[in-house]
Amino acid sequence: MVIERIDAQLPGAILDRHAFRGDATIVVAPGRLTELVDFIFLEGFQLLADITAVDWEAREPRFDVVYHLLNLVSQDRLRIKVPVADGEAVPSLTGRYKSADWAEREVFDLFGIRFDGHPDLRRLLMWEDFPGHPLRKDYPLDGGDPFCTQDIGASYSPEARSLNA
Amino acid sequence: MTPSCSPFLPVLLLFLLAVGVGAAILVVSGKILPGLLKPENPQRAKLTPYECGVPPLQEGARHRYSVKFYLVAMLFILFDVEAAFLLPWAVQYKTHLWTFWAMLSFLATLLVGYVYAWGKGALDWER
Amino acid sequence: MGAIMLDDSVMTTRLDSVVNWARKNSLWPLPFGTACCAIEFMSMMASRYDFSRFGAEALRFSPRQSDLLLVLGTITNKQAPVLRQIYAQMAEPKWVVAVGVCASSGGMYRTYSTLQGIDRVVPVDVYVPGCPPRPETMIHGVMELQKKITRESLSMRKDHIERFYQSLARQEELQKARGLSGYQVVREMVLEAGNQGGQQIW
C-alpha cells in the first residue's frame, strides 16, 4: 500500500490516517506537503481531481485543505488533508499539477487560504473586489442582504448551522 | 415642320415613374412612418459596443496591422497600370522599330523600379 | 410600489391598435438563457409547442436586433451588471419576461451569489413562475405580454425605462467615483435599496 511506502520514505510526514469503505485519507502538515506530493507523483498519483477546504470554526488550526488524487496506474484514490491556521499559507501544487491552478484559486476565493508559489492567485468564482470569503462559517449565507433576513430575522435558521457541533 | 418626338420618350417617362415611386416608398417608409411611430429614446448606453454585456476587453477593432498589405496594394496598382498601358499598345502594334523601342524604354524605366523594390525587400512577405 | 404603473386613462387610437398588433405579433426574443429554463425554452421553440407561431421565429442573440428579453434561468450577482448592460443596449420598444422562479425572485437560491429576482436590476413586464415552467406556461406568459402590449399607446411615457437609464447613469458615476468594479457597485446598490425597504435599484 502506498501509505506504507510513504511512511518508509518520509517518516513522520503522516500525522494521522483513516480509511472508510475503501478510501484512504492521510493528514499531513503543510511543511511536508511538497515532498510528499513529489513522492506520490512518482508513485503514479498524477491526477489531482480536486482541491477543497473545510472550515472547522472552533478548532485550531481552523481549516483543512483537502486534496483528492487518483493513481493512473493502479486506480487507487488518495485523500490528503492539510490542517492550516487562518492566515497561514500552503505550498502550491501548480508546479506538479496543472489542475491545481484553478482549484487553488477557488479555495482562495471561497476560504481565503493563500497558496505560496501560485502564479496568479486571484478570485475565480466571485468578482475581484468581492468583500469576504463566502464559504467560511462566519460568512452569512445570504451575504448580508436585508431582504433575505426580513422574514425570519436571520439569514438562515440557527439550527441549520450546527451540523458539526 | 415635322415635330419629331423621340421614340424613346415613353422609356424616359417610365424611368421617371419608377424612380419617383421608389423614392416615394423610401421616404414614406424610412422617414415619415418612423417619424410618427418610432419610440425615440436616444441613450448613450445604446451606442456602446456589444461584447456580451461586459465592457470591451480590447480597444476596438481598428487595430494596427502590418504595413506589408499597404505595400503590396501600392505595387499592384503601379504594375497593373503598366500592364494597362501595355495592352492597347500590343493590340495595334505593327512592326515598327520606333514603336517597339518606345515601349521597351517605358518598360525599362519600370523595371528599374521593380528591381529596386525587390532589392529593398518590399516583396518579402514574411518580414 | 415597484409595479410598473400603467396610465389607465390612456385611450388607444386606431393607429395604436395597428401598431400594437404589429408589435405583439412579431416579438423577436433574445433568449438570455443561463440555466434549466433555457432547456424548456428550447422545447418551446421546437415543433410540438412551437413558439414561432407567435412571430418569434427569429431568435436574435443580440440586443440590437431583438425586442423581447427572455431571462431564462438563475442570474447571479456577478451576472447582474451584464444583464443591465444587455437591457440598456436594446432599442425600444422592448419588454422583459422573467421566466422561471430564479429570474422572478431568486427561486430556491437564497444566497450571497444569487440575485433575488431580476426585477431588482431591470424593469420586468411579465413573470412566469415554475421551476422550470412548462412550455405551455411560458407561452401563456408571452400571451399575457401580448395582452399588455395591446393596452399600450404610442403617446404613453415609459417611466420604467427612463428610471432604468437613470439608475445606469448612477451606477456609472459610482463606479468612477469609488473605483470599484461594476459587479460590486451593482451589489452595493441592491443592498442599499434593500436597506431602505425597497428592492429595485431602477
Side-chain angles (χ1 to χ4, degrees):
Chain A
M1 259 303 310
V2 68
I3 298 185
E4 277 92 52
R5 287 202 289 280
I6 299 173
D7 264 337
Q9 183 80 10
L10 310 163
I14 300 183
L15 302 174
D16 191 11
R17 76 201 65 181
H18 42 268
F20 178 69
R21 283 182 161 245
D23 63 342
T25 307
I26 55 176
V27 182
V28 172
R32 309 288 307 261
L33 180 67
T34 317
E35 51 182 341
L36 177 84
V37 161
D38 285 341
F39 175 66
I40 61 174
F41 187 86
L42 297 169
E43 286 281 321
F45 284 91
Q46 299 187 349
L47 194 146
L48 176 65
D50 191 21
I51 307 179
T52 181
V54 184
D55 180 7
W56 301 100
E57 202 179 4
R59 195 190 76 172
E60 184 59 42
R62 181 175 175 178
F63 299 105
D64 255 348
V65 180
V66 184
Y67 298 83
H68 289 91
L69 294 130
L70 171 66
N71 191 321
L72 295 173
V73 172
S74 62
Q75 274 100 58
D76 282 332
R77 289 184 186 267
L78 182 66
R79 182 182 300 122
I80 303 178
K81 292 196 184 181
V82 180
V84 286
D86 195 0
E88 193 183 329
V90 181
S92 169
L93 299 185
T94 44
R96 282 278 178 197
Y97 303 99
K98 277 281 185 305
S99 64
D101 192 340
W102 276 23
E104 287 175 355
R105 274 180 65 186
E106 182 188 358
V107 170
F108 168 67
D109 184 5
L110 301 173
F111 288 93
I113 299 170
R114 298 202 67 94
F115 290 87
D116 281 332
H118 193 279
D120 185 21
L121 194 66
R122 56 192 165 95
R123 288 187 180 270
L124 186 73
L125 299 170
M126 305 309 294
W127 55 89
E128 58 268 8
D129 42 359
F130 182 83
H133 297 281
L135 251 49
R136 292 190 171 198
K137 288 286 192 290
D138 47 6
Y139 191 89
L141 180 60
D142 55 17
D145 194 345
F147 167 70
C148 293
T149 58
Q150 70 191 16
D151 43 359
I152 57 171
S155 61
Y156 45 92
S157 169
E159 289 85 60
R161 284 191 60 183
S162 55
L163 257 138
N164 296 303
Chain B
M1 279 294 282
T2 47
S4 58
C5 257
S6 162
F8 288 105
L9 196 58
V11 179
L12 174 67
L13 287 175
L14 196 59
F15 175 72
L16 289 174
L17 185 68
V19 169
V21 168
I25 290 176
L26 280 175
V27 165
V28 166
S29 64
K31 280 266 180 261
I32 298 178
L33 278 180
L36 292 172
L37 304 175
K38 136 175 94 165
E40 185 139 17
N41 191 1
Q43 296 279 354
R44 200 173 34 88
K46 292 184 188 174
L47 298 171
T48 50
Y50 171 63
E51 201 162 307
C52 299
V54 293
L57 298 166
Q58 259 187 341
E59 189 32 57
R62 296 167 208 89
H63 250 115
R64 293 161 39 175
Y65 50 89
S66 181
V67 74
K68 62 189 181 189
F69 297 104
Y70 185 72
L71 268 177
V72 166
M74 205 168 58
L75 288 173
F76 164 75
I77 291 289
L78 282 170
F79 292 105
D80 197 48
V81 167
E82 172 190 2
F85 276 124
L86 201 55
L87 285 174
W89 172 88
V91 162
Q92 43 89 41
Y93 174 74
K94 294 169 185 50
T95 313
H96 214 243
L97 214 55
W98 192 85
T99 324
F100 175 72
W101 286 111
M103 181 46 90
L104 206 65
S105 67
F106 171 66
L107 289 178
T109 318
L110 283 167
L111 186 70
V112 172
Y114 176 66
V115 171
Y116 175 74
W118 188 348
K120 271 289 181 182
L123 301 174
D124 255 341
W125 187 250
E126 286 304 310
R127 215 166 34 83
Chain C
M1 227 267 61
I4 299 167
M5 302 298 279
L6 251 192
D7 192 356
D8 284 324
S9 64
V10 165
M11 298 275 288
T12 55
T13 63
R14 201 163 297 174
L15 177 64
D16 285 329
S17 51
V18 169
V19 169
N20 290 336
W21 168 86
R23 284 179 180 171
K24 76 180 187 204
N25 287 317
S26 67
L27 287 168
W28 285 12
L30 197 180
F32 199 92
T34 43
C36 357
C37 284
I39 309 292
E40 289 292 328
F41 169 77
M42 290 177 210
S43 159
M44 183 173 83
M45 286 301 298
S47 51
R48 180 182 278 259
Y49 298 102
D50 197 17
F51 191 43
S52 55
R53 59 196 150 119
F54 294 91
E57 176 85 49
L59 289 187
R60 296 291 181 236
F61 289 89
S62 164
R64 319 274 198 220
Q65 301 168 19
S66 56
D67 43 20
L68 174 62
L69 181 63
L70 282 171
V71 184
L72 309 151
T74 320
I75 301 295
T76 55
N77 283 317
K78 199 169 177 183
Q79 183 78 320
V82 172
L83 179 62
R84 280 164 68 79
Q85 181 76 339
I86 298 282
Y87 182 71
Q89 287 178 342
M90 285 170 78
E92 270 102 60
K94 55 184 172 180
W95 299 274
V96 178
V97 175
V99 179
V101 290
C102 287
S104 305
S105 70
M108 71 171 124
Y109 303 110
R110 210 163 166 81
T111 65
Y112 57 88
S113 59
T114 307
L115 185 65
Q116 303 292 302
I118 61 168
D119 54 356
R120 300 183 120 192
V121 293
V122 293
V124 176
D125 291 284
V126 174
Y127 301 85
V128 180
C131 187
R134 275 194 63 88
E136 293 111 327
T137 316
M138 293 197 286
I139 290 178
H140 178 65
V142 173
M143 288 174 75
E144 290 293 317
L145 177 67
Q146 287 182 329
K147 288 187 206 152
K148 187 172 186 181
I149 293 173
T150 319
R151 296 196 303 265
E152 282 178 5
S153 159
L154 284 176
S155 58
M156 185 173 81
R157 282 176 313 124
K158 296 269 189 91
D159 278 334
H160 55 277
I161 297 183
E162 189 50 50
R163 289 214 309 271
F164 171 78
Y165 281 106
Q166 286 167 357
S167 79
L168 198 67
R170 266 204 318 276
Q171 176 194 332
E172 281 168 13
E173 262 172 42
L174 276 174
Q175 260 179 271
K176 264 204 278 289
R178 314 233 317 252
L180 297 171
S181 68
Y183 313 111
Q184 186 60 20
V185 166
V186 170
R187 176 67 174 157
E188 283 183 9
M189 285 169 80
V190 167
L191 291 179
E192 182 198 315
N195 274 323
Q196 289 168 359
Q199 293 156 35
Q200 296 160 348
I201 63 176
W202 52 272

